[in-house]
Amino acid sequence: MTGEPDGPEDRLRRFATIWSRAVFPVTSTSLTRPELEQQLLPLARRLSDALKARTFDAAAGQAVGAALVAAHCTDPEALSRSLDCVDAYLVLYCGEDGPQEALRTRSARLQHAMAAGFAGALRERTLAEQEAISQAALNARSTVAEALHASEARFRAVFEGAAIGIGIADLEGNILQVNGALLRMFGGSEQGVRGRRVPEWTHPEDAPQVWRLYEELVRGEREHYHVEKAFYRPDGTALWTNLTVSLLRDADGRPQYQLALMEDTTERRLLNLRLRYEATHDALTGLPNRTLFFERLEKAVSGGNDQRFGLCYLDLDGFKTINDSLGHAAGDRLLVEVADRLQSCATAPGEMVARLGGDEFVALTTGPDTESEVDALADRIMNALVTPVRIDGRELTVRGSIGIVEGPAGERGPAEVLRSADITMYRAKSAGGNRFELADPEADARAITRHGLTTALPAALDRGEFFIEYQPLVHLGDGSVHGAEALVRWLHPQHGVLGPDRFIPLAEHTGLIVPLGRWVLEQSVRQACQWQERHADSGPLRINVNLSPCQLTHPGLVQDTVDILEREGLDAEALCLEVTESALIGADDDLLKPLRRLAEMGVDIALDDFGTGYSNLANLRRLPVSILKLDRSFTQGMQQFPADPVDLKIVEGIVSLAHSLDLAVTVEGVETGAQAEQLRILGCDTAQGWYYARPGPPDRLHELALVDATG
């Protein structure tokens, strides 16, 4: 069979084959390449599963990196080739038909996790080797001591044949003997080693306790010590060693010599540093990544009492548009250019820039005076983004929104600081972008509360936490109760009763407004039926229910309304659906079609908040509405006597226009008797407001209707 593999298993095996061919030449193993391929196959399968998993699991990538070490693929080139292979072929052979960009991002994260797992496993292996070497060193020390006391010939055999560096010095630090392994570590010059005394072998990287331990040993207060220590070679390069120094005593137990055993760990250290760099830096821009940034941020926010920190959280405005229109390669080049500019903005001590992912960057400054420094840093960043970026002959304008958090160390954790910066950045973006905003604890609290309410909404509907209050609609002519408007409330377990202004916008944003609106309609229609049963002699009480813009565009609006009316047994003429004027500004025939169908059935359509949308009054003729609800802003001037003459003229004109179009007029927000009387004189039909009753339980309307019926 030729060509590409057919099934997922064949593709997986093909990926494992490519992988084994890449790493086999740099792997120290007695296995054949097909045998190595069989070892890599389950690792390839684990990477494939992690690539397509619902949520990202870094542990899978780390386990694969560790398994490479277990398979003796410990050469740095083996890791590099493995990462290159995963980058080039994992999505191709294992991604199937999934979203390519998301899969490539997941693949990159798996590569980082592999590098981290490889580094961790190599470190554990190194520690085990060090322990074995330490044990061997102790054995060698014992052997050397016995040789000194028993046989010079035996000592020489051990001394010269040892694979680790061995040196002997007296207690004054004069180097007496060194073996060939130690000479090779220092470049092979015996004179360069023996010509120096032990106390001269200092290095800037020496830990503070190194020379204290040495002094204790030569004074006979310590038998041995083990440290990691760097030395200068004759050519000026650094030699890193695991150093064990032991005290040798004579037959009477008196300190006589010091014995040094050295293992060269330079290459291992360089590999660890390289792996550490790859695990803590962004592969695209070279900036510190989220891992390293959090380490630095944690240090900054947990510093001393006199220390402060400032954080700028940057998100590029409109970056998705650039990716979608010019491609991800152009987007990557733009990110690299932005990273270079940001680095040039944070060069002072205590400052750093990192890329958190995507088009999100952070800049951190620390010190005693970050209140002014962080503002200056944000200014530099904004100025650095002003100059357009040239990519493929195009000039791209770069803009960004920045959220700034500044404060003293020791008060907040890194996660809380980053969350505040993120919230503030989105506040800057909501204000139009291309600007920076300072964190506001009250704004943070509101945003956190909004997020909590948003996530709690679906479960709240299932748990029955919503209830409805009703505000009466009163005839201005005779003062009789005409019906009521249904107003939904949320009895939140922590925040108490919440009005619709707190959660309706969130429900619209999440799409929950459709099932919530359906529930409100069903409950309100059922309640209207109960009212009609109790007031059969005084005529039906109508129910007004609000519709959100999202409900207007929902394809099931008409059918849901019909089903609820038929199921509960309420006439369509007893229902009024209220739609805000702003929702119908510029509405086309497709949007108006459901409302026309409902109006043809007999359902009244009320235009709510009339007068706030600046709509063309001539459009009223084409809207399927039968009621205008006049916004309270037009009638506030009538609460006192005498009424504002301008308000009187405006309301009089609207009422005259509405009646000429056969529309009834309802007024909201009636709060005084003088206001109600003036509206009656002007010809308004119905009204609602605190003057008559505040929103309350359904029985309240029953009581009002009963009083009205009995005079």
Side-chain angles (χ1 to χ4, degrees), residues 484-629:
E485 180 180 359
L487 300 169
V488 65
R489 307 286 191 256
W490 182 2
L491 182 56
H492 193 279
Q494 284 79 41
H495 301 291
V497 177
L498 303 178
D501 58 312
R502 294 287 301 278
F503 61 87
I504 290 298
L506 304 179
E508 290 178 341
H509 179 70
T510 59
L512 189 71
I513 191 65
V514 173
L516 177 60
R518 187 185 301 115
W519 178 85
V520 171
L521 180 62
E522 187 173 20
Q523 297 297 314
S524 302
V525 167
R526 184 174 301 151
Q527 183 59 56
C529 289
Q530 295 176 8
W531 286 334
Q532 290 197 9
E533 291 174 1
R534 302 173 74 173
H535 303 283
D537 298 335
S538 58
L541 294 177
R542 299 166 58 82
I543 187 69
N544 285 30
V545 179
N546 292 281
L547 287 183
S548 77
C550 291
Q551 289 175 276
L552 285 177
T553 58
H554 190 267
L557 172 62
V558 175
Q559 190 60 49
D560 285 346
T561 305
V562 171
D563 291 345
I564 291 172
L565 289 173
E566 291 181 350
R567 184 167 60 250
E568 301 299 334
L570 184 72
D571 292 335
E573 291 78 6
L575 174 64
C576 176
L577 298 178
E578 298 187 8
V579 183
T580 60
E581 181 186 20
S582 59
L584 295 183
I585 291 179
D588 57 20
D589 289 339
D590 288 339
L591 181 62
L592 296 177
K593 188 179 297 183
L595 294 180
R596 289 198 178 102
R597 289 182 58 189
L598 291 170
E600 291 166 357
M601 291 165 43
V603 175
D604 279 329
I605 307 298
L607 195 61
D608 198 9
D609 297 334
F610 181 77
T612 62
Y614 308 104
S615 62
N616 187 342
L617 296 178
N619 285 337
L620 288 175
R621 297 183 61 87
R622 72 182 190 88
L623 298 179
V625 299
S626 54
I627 300 170
L628 293 187
K629 291 196 72 173

Side-chain angles (χ1 to χ4, degrees), residues 200-207 211 229-232 236-240:
E200 297 175 7
W201 292 98
T202 59
H203 192 275
E205 298 287 342
D206 285 344
W211 295 104
K229 179 168 170 34
F231 296 88
Y232 280 119
T237 59
L239 166 68
W240 280 90

